[in-house]
Amino acid sequence: MNSKYDPERLRRRRIVLICVVGVVLAILVAVVMNRLLTYQRTSDSKQQSLMNSDEPVVVLFYSKTCSDCKKITMTVHKNALTGKVNDDVKNLVNSASPLKHNVMFLEYQNPQDRSLFIKYGVSEVPTFMVMKHGIPQSIGTVSGVSSDRYSGTDRNQIKSIYQNLQVTGNAVNK
């Protein structure tokens, strides 16, 4: 009998192949989940171009050690992706006034970013701001007073920051 077609040998090969594919898939899932569950600090050069941009930039001030920051990671990434997709769809319909926004992540542990925490008076994380030309934009009102930031983890409030960018092209709540 030819050992090439030995049913026991073929069965063992299938088991090994299935195990190898399973391990590769598990590694890929782990890498993707790690990417989705962490913030990637925006590079210094990218920060400069975003801060001076004509388009609104959602800025998230965060800390690696902040448990609240970790809780809202998926919400932030989901809203950022949804916002970019919405921008693209609206730009297909009306290319005369293209919508575009970006997201910037500033990390408290980074010395260069810490100076921006001080410059904008950010003392809590997570804190969201919307910037245009490096100037904080109003993102809503608190007790009738215009506010340029939101500090907290309310998923609906975070979502509304992104949605208002899509509706109005700026950050002002109506």
Side-chain angles (χ1 to χ4, degrees), residues 14-140:
R14 272 191 226 116
I15 290 172
V16 168
L17 180 64
I18 289 170
C19 289
V20 168
V21 168
V23 167
V24 168
L25 284 174
I27 290 170
L28 286 173
V29 166
V31 167
V32 168
M33 289 304 290
N34 183 45
R35 184 86 171 147
L36 289 176
L37 296 175
T38 58
Y39 297 116
Q40 303 298 317
R41 180 190 171 273
T42 305
S43 69
D44 293 337
S45 60
K46 182 85 171 161
Q47 283 181 22
Q48 288 301 320
S49 66
L50 290 174
M51 280 293 205
N52 297 321
S53 174
D54 292 337
E55 288 88 23
V57 179
V58 177
V59 182
L60 171 60
F61 295 86
Y62 75 99
S63 171
K64 285 181 183 177
T65 58
C66 166
S67 61
D68 286 340
C69 297
K70 292 174 185 172
K71 285 180 192 174
I72 60 163
T73 305
M74 288 295 278
T75 302
V76 171
H77 287 299
K78 177 183 172 191
N79 285 311
L81 179 62
T82 302
K84 286 185 183 198
V85 168
N86 288 342
D87 284 350
D88 292 341
V89 168
K90 287 180 181 179
N91 291 339
L92 286 173
V93 174
N94 182 10
S95 60
S97 60
L99 289 173
K100 183 178 173 192
H101 78 278
N102 292 290
V103 179
M104 184 165 66
F105 300 105
L106 298 177
E107 176 188 342
Y108 181 74
Q109 285 82 359
N110 185 288
Q112 294 92 339
D113 292 352
R114 203 165 309 143
S115 66
L116 292 172
F117 273 72
I118 294 166
K119 178 180 179 180
Y120 293 108
V122 175
S123 58
E124 303 178 66
V125 288
T127 293
F128 293 85
M129 294 177 83
V130 174
M131 306 273 189
K132 208 171 187 182
H133 299 290
I135 301 168
Q137 305 294 302
S138 175
I139 59 173

